[in-house]
């Protein structure tokens, strides 16, 4: 929920974990970016090649048909071209499916890591005295010293 997210952000801020947390998020994003970048390259290649595949297939089919000594009629040629045009239309969505598959893979990895996280039990003990909001026992506290520019504490 949003309340839990805000609580976690407050904890990160309170303990000054911004930089380590930022580095961890950057590492995860970098890996995801690599996967999505590969998918984009594959999509670009498949978008540029898919029209050529059906064109080359129709040329090779007609050439092979003629080279084997068969006659080629107009109805045969138009039928073959119509079938290969239908193949172009059917294959036009394939490049986008490749990218969608890569994006879903990244999303599933995120969901898997989230679902495999260890459950955190909420802190449920209450102070002995009901008038106290917080009780601290057997604790040691220290204060960092900060030196000013003139070298004094």
């Amino acid at each position: 929920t949003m309340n839990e997210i805000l609580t976690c952000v407050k904890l990160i801020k309170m303990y000054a974990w911004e930089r380590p947390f930022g580095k961890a998020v950057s590492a995860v994003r970098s890996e995801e970016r690599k996967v999505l970048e590969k998918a984009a390259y594959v999509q670009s290649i498949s978008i540029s090649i898919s029209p050529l595949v059906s064109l080359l297939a129709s040329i090779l089919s007609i050439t092979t048909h003629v080279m084997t000594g068969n006659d080629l009629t107009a109805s045969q040629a138009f039928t073959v071209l119509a079938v290969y045009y239908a193949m172009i239309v059917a294959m036009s969505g394939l490049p986008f499916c490749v990218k969608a598959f890569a994006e879903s893979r990244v999303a599933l990895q995120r969901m898997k890591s989230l679902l495999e996280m260890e459950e955190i039990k909420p802190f449920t003990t209450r102070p002995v005295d009901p008038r106290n909001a917080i009780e601290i026992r057997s604790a040691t506290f220290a204060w960092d010293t900060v030196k000013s520019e003139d070298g004094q504490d």
Side-chain angles (χ1 to χ4, degrees):
T1 65
M2 187 56 94
N3 191 26
E4 291 171 343
I5 292 171
L6 292 175
T7 302
C8 291
V9 169
K10 286 178 189 176
L11 285 174
I12 289 170
K13 291 276 191 193
M14 184 174 69
Y15 289 114
W17 290 337
E18 290 103 340
R19 287 194 178 120
F21 188 75
K23 287 179 184 176
V25 169
S26 294
V28 169
R29 285 185 177 169
S30 175
E31 290 299 317
E32 290 176 353
R33 191 177 141 267
K34 288 177 186 176
V35 170
L36 294 175
E37 193 174 293
K38 287 178 186 177
Y41 285 133
V42 170
Q43 181 183 13
S44 298
I45 291 169
S46 60
I47 284 174
S48 61
I49 289 178
S50 62
L52 295 175
V53 169
S54 59
L55 177 68
L56 290 174
S58 63
I59 290 171
L60 287 174
S61 297
I62 292 172
T63 304
T64 304
H65 182 74
V66 171
M67 295 297 280
T68 55
N70 297 316
D71 291 333
L72 182 64
T73 63
S75 63
Q76 290 174 334
F78 285 122
T79 303
V80 168
L81 291 177
V83 168
Y84 284 120
Y85 179 74
M87 188 171 76
I88 289 174
V89 172
M91 289 179 55
S92 65
L94 184 64
F96 302 104
C97 292
V98 170
K99 186 172 183 202
F101 177 73
E103 290 173 351
S104 64
R105 184 174 159 218
V106 168
L108 287 174
Q109 286 175 345
R110 282 184 181 177
M111 288 173 46
K112 179 182 175 188
S113 65
L114 180 69
L115 293 173
E116 289 178 344
M117 290 176 106
E118 186 176 325
E119 282 291 324
I120 299 173
K121 294 183 180 178
F123 186 69
T124 57
T125 59
R126 298 190 181 266
V128 177
D129 187 358
R131 293 176 294 163
N132 295 340
I134 299 174
E135 286 183 359
I136 301 173
R137 296 185 199 136
S138 303
T140 304
F141 298 96
W143 197 271
D144 292 338
T145 58
V146 179
K147 293 187 178 192
S148 63
E149 291 180 9
D150 58 359
Q152 296 178 3
D153 288 340

